[in-house]
Amino acid sequence: MTTTSAAPDRRHTVHAAEAPDGPWWRHAVIYQVYPRSFADSNGDGIGDLPGITARLPHLAELGVDALWLSPFYVSPQADAGYDVADYRDVDPVFGTLSDLDALLDAAHRLGLRVIVDLVPNHTSDQHVWFAAARAAAPGSPERGRYLFREGRGEHGELPPNNWVSMFGGPAWTRVVEADGRPGQWYLHLFDSSQPDLDWSNPQVRDEFEDVLRFWLDRGVDGFRVDVAHGLVKADGLPDWDGTAAMIDGSDPNVHPGPMFDQEGVHEIYRSWRTVLDSYPGDRAMVAEAWVEPVERLARYVRSDEMHQAFNFAFLSAGWDPVALRTVIDRSFAANDAVGAPTTWVMSNHDVVRHASRLGLTDPTHRPNGIGEGDEQPDAELGLRRARAISLLVLALPGSAYLYQGEELGLPEHTALPDELRQDPAYFRTRGAERGRDGCRVPLPWEPGAPAFGFSPTGASWLPQPADWGAFTVEAQRGVDGSTYETYRRALALRREHAMATADLTWRGDDPQVLTLSVGDVLVVANMGDVPVTLPAEAKVLLSSAADMVGSQVPPATTVWARVG
Ligand code: NOJ
Ligand code: CA
């Protein structure tokens, strides 16, 4: 049996404390609401803004500081709203602009900030600009807002370059010109219904600054910026033989390709920062940028650019204490160097929920969805590890992102019938990738209620597994040791002990155990196979598992304790 030591000579401080009264985004816990799956008010089976507003007290009770709303804009929903047809209005499926105003109001009254999603890399093909571009001639100003190019080959029958879409298949689609003949091609890094904008065009820049102002004027507290590393492409759109995957499996020393992380993106964020800074209050932007290594990602959060960037290297480290410690150290070094807070995230609407991911034989593996016939996660082990890793996430100084349902310990739906899948990645890879539907299943609120309380009629755009009653908020509220109450307690302690702005010092040197002090809280995350013993003077504040015996921290358990 190992003994975790708190001996001062093993101490190694990697992050210094900061003033607790800095701007909210430096230490906020931000809860991601995926509108179509949070709460449905009108019974059509799709979550909506009034549904969110009605359930805001849940988020206040949980104790988060802010919410991030995935897109609710007018959209044909080809990519669940990440295909925006009108950036200044709400899609009728989600409600109206006044519903959004009511949501903002209610959230602010509860002391919750609200950030909204901004999708600047591409529009929907139903956007007026794209309709105009299609109808206009090659070389026209209308086409100049997108990336239209002539094809290669004798008759232009080959795509302009060899890029592939992030959802599989070619990244180019050919249009039919006004004379009925096949004509130019347009670039889409994602689905063919999501044409990429040309960010070298000043009209595109002006339009998005105006969109920022539109929402800032309405009172949003900031933006989550979709594909923030993709807006600018390398000059000449050169061929590239690498794999344009999200960072999983990529070599961090290799540039992600001519479509990502180009120098030109930073200038855009500098001008957006000026827009945000011209508004009262602390408005913030967070970059969704799948950029490695973390030093490179930190360039997005220099003091005149974005405020935060999602730490996907952390999410991708899985259940690997050495990798986690390395990414924690490097994240602090890189972000501290530019004066930015670090973010911590384990789940979102694009990845397999961590309660399932961590139950796979290889818990660092990040498949794009899980379906029937695939390896099924060990649900018990996955949940146990998820709770342990979530207590690590919530202990770390900086800002943390939670994905709706993780506070319930919700697993991925790993047996969705393929005919119900909606993610374009499933179709574009011809089923080779199951896609992201399994992490987007509507939330369960009350056991025994229709659709577990998600919708009054029981309709649900994706089916919920029959055994989700035990995961509902109602089944867990007030139950000591439930995942929900564990998150709640963690959030309360984090606040009480000002952990988000505290210093972080590593203690102990067992590679299987992450032992750290965060301010006056000792955190022991036992990722090994044998129990570890807490220092004699430690008083347990919170444990991720119910089976602690005395001062023994069992495997796959994180404990927060008070020393002295
Ligand atoms: C990242 C979003 O999180 C994802 O859901 C979307 O499909 C792509 N960007 C394209 O917008
Ligand atoms: Ca609805």
Side-chain angles (χ1 to χ4, degrees):
M1 202 171 288
T2 328
T3 298
T4 295
S5 166
D9 56 342
R10 304 242 191 97
R11 284 175 171 228
H12 169 51
T13 298
V14 290
H15 176 70
E18 63 177 66
D21 53 358
W24 67 276
W25 45 267
R26 295 194 68 88
H27 44 78
V29 174
I30 303 172
Y31 181 102
Q32 179 187 358
V33 171
Y34 195 65
R36 61 173 42 237
S37 301
F38 192 70
D40 170 23
S41 71
N42 62 356
D44 65 356
I46 303 180
D48 44 51
L49 299 180
I52 299 169
T53 305
R55 294 284 191 186
L56 284 177
H58 165 69
L59 300 185
E61 179 188 88
L62 179 60
V64 301
D65 303 293
L67 50 145
W68 146 36
L69 295 173
S70 276
F72 48 75
Y73 313 108
V74 175
S75 161
Q77 306 290 326
D79 183 23
Y82 283 95
D83 48 323
V84 181
D86 182 351
Y87 288 85
R88 296 179 184 80
D89 205 352
V90 172
D91 194 286
V93 84
F94 297 124
T96 62
L97 270 177
S98 2
D99 292 332
L100 194 268
D101 291 340
L103 190 163
L104 285 175
D105 247 29
H108 288 157
R109 265 186 275 116
L110 289 166
L112 297 164
R113 314 249 177 182
V114 181
I115 67 173
V116 296
D117 222 302
L118 185 77
V119 189
N121 178 68
H122 44 264
T123 68
S124 158
D125 62 354
Q126 307 297 307
H127 191 282
V128 282
W129 276 8
F130 194 71
R134 269 206 163 156
S140 60
E142 288 82 0
R143 291 226 168 153
R145 296 174 183 135
Y146 293 90
L147 291 159
F148 277 85
R149 295 289 183 274
E150 298 300 329
R152 293 198 283 203
E154 208 182 325
H155 306 289
E157 70 279 13
L158 299 172
N161 71 20
N162 68 353
W163 296 2
V164 291
S165 151
M166 300 291 297
F167 293 157
W172 294 92
T173 292
R174 197 172 193 188
V175 295
V176 175
E177 303 294 0
D179 62 6
R181 296 193 197 177
Q184 289 195 308
W185 299 71
Y186 66 88
L187 178 72
H188 50 88
L189 291 184
F190 295 90
D191 189 53
S192 54
S193 63
Q194 294 167 296
D196 279 50
L197 288 161
D198 183 350
W199 273 87
S200 67
N201 185 330
Q203 276 183 38
V204 172
R205 294 187 177 229
D206 290 351
E207 170 69 1
F208 275 87
E209 291 196 9
D210 199 63
V211 169
L212 288 178
R213 289 200 180 88
F214 179 87
W215 293 106
L216 290 165
D217 287 340
R218 284 205 111 79
V220 305
D221 297 287
F223 303 91
R224 175 267 190 190
V225 179
D226 191 60
V227 204
H229 57 321
L231 275 50
V232 174
K233 280 77 180 173
D235 278 347
L237 308 181
D239 273 345
W240 186 62
D241 293 319
T243 317
M246 298 295 196
I247 57 177
D248 188 36
S250 68
D251 178 344
N253 299 311
V254 173
H255 192 274
M259 63 292 281
F260 289 129
D261 199 25
Q262 301 295 311
E263 200 49 40
V265 296
H266 297 289
E267 194 196 315
I268 298 170
Y269 304 136
R270 280 186 208 110
S271 63
W272 290 7
R273 179 68 178 248
T274 322
V275 174
L276 265 71
D277 285 350
S278 72
Y279 278 80
D282 294 307
R283 319 284 177 117
M285 292 178 285
V286 54
E288 189 232 8
W290 292 82
V291 169
E292 274 207 275
V294 288
E295 292 76 14
R296 187 86 197 162
L297 181 64
R299 302 174 81 243
Y300 287 73
V301 289
R302 289 176 288 194
S303 60
D304 57 350
E305 299 192 35
M306 301 241 192
H307 303 73
Q308 301 182 329
F310 292 119
N311 193 337
F312 292 130
F314 180 70
L315 181 154
S316 304
W319 187 256
D320 177 340
V322 175
L324 282 165
R325 180 168 170 161
T326 305
V327 73
I328 291 169
D329 284 349
R330 282 181 69 170
S331 302
F332 279 123
N335 286 286
D336 287 349
V338 294
T342 308
T343 66
W344 311 104
V345 58
M346 272 294 145
S347 279
N348 64 30
H349 66 294
D350 289 331
V351 300
V352 170
R353 284 183 174 277
H354 64 284
S356 296
R357 220 167 62 221
L358 300 179
L360 292 171
T361 317
D362 172 4
T364 56
H365 183 46
R366 214 160 52 71
N368 186 5
I370 297 175
E372 269 168 345
D374 298 335
E375 183 202 335
Q376 293 293 304
D378 177 333
E380 199 182 318
L381 178 65
L383 178 57
R384 182 172 183 115
R385 285 177 169 168
R387 289 167 53 127
I389 216 158
S390 294
L391 282 198
L392 176 66
V393 169
L394 292 174
L396 294 170
S399 176
Y401 277 84
L402 305 180
Y403 176 48
Q404 66 177 40
E406 68 164 271
E407 79 280 20
L408 309 175
L410 218 58
E412 183 86 359
H413 193 324
T414 57
L416 264 182
D418 283 342
E419 61 274 18
L420 297 181
R421 294 192 184 279
Q422 309 215 4
D423 185 351
Y426 173 74
F427 300 99
R428 292 186 61 92
T429 61
R430 298 200 172 83
E433 293 189 0
R434 307 280 185 168
R436 301 160 292 176
D437 297 306
C439 65
R440 300 174 174 180
V441 173
L443 284 195
W445 295 91
E446 296 145 35
F452 297 116
F454 165 69
S455 100
T457 55
S460 175
W461 72 279
L462 284 175
Q464 299 156 306
D467 64 355
W468 271 20
F471 288 104
T472 56
V473 180
E474 282 312 318
Q476 300 194 46
R477 180 181 277 130
V479 177
D480 215 27
S482 68
T483 306
Y484 175 67
E485 290 299 342
T486 305
Y487 267 72
R488 252 184 96 190
R489 176 99 179 107
L491 288 164
L493 287 168
R494 178 184 156 97
R495 203 180 288 257
E496 206 177 296
H497 292 262
M499 293 165 78
T501 48
D503 58 325
L504 187 155
T505 301
W506 292 112
R507 306 162 81 149
D509 54 8
D510 181 339
Q512 295 304 307
V513 184
L514 297 178
T515 306
L516 47 148
S517 21
V518 180
D520 61 5
V521 178
L522 177 73
V523 177
V524 179
N526 181 5
M527 303 179 75
D529 300 327
V530 292
V532 295
T533 307
L534 288 173
E537 70 276 22
K539 280 210 341 247
V540 175
L541 296 168
L542 182 62
S543 168
S544 66
D547 53 358
M548 259 195 93
V549 180
S551 58
Q552 302 290 303
V553 181
T557 302
T558 298
V559 164
W560 291 9
R562 195 61 203 270
V563 183

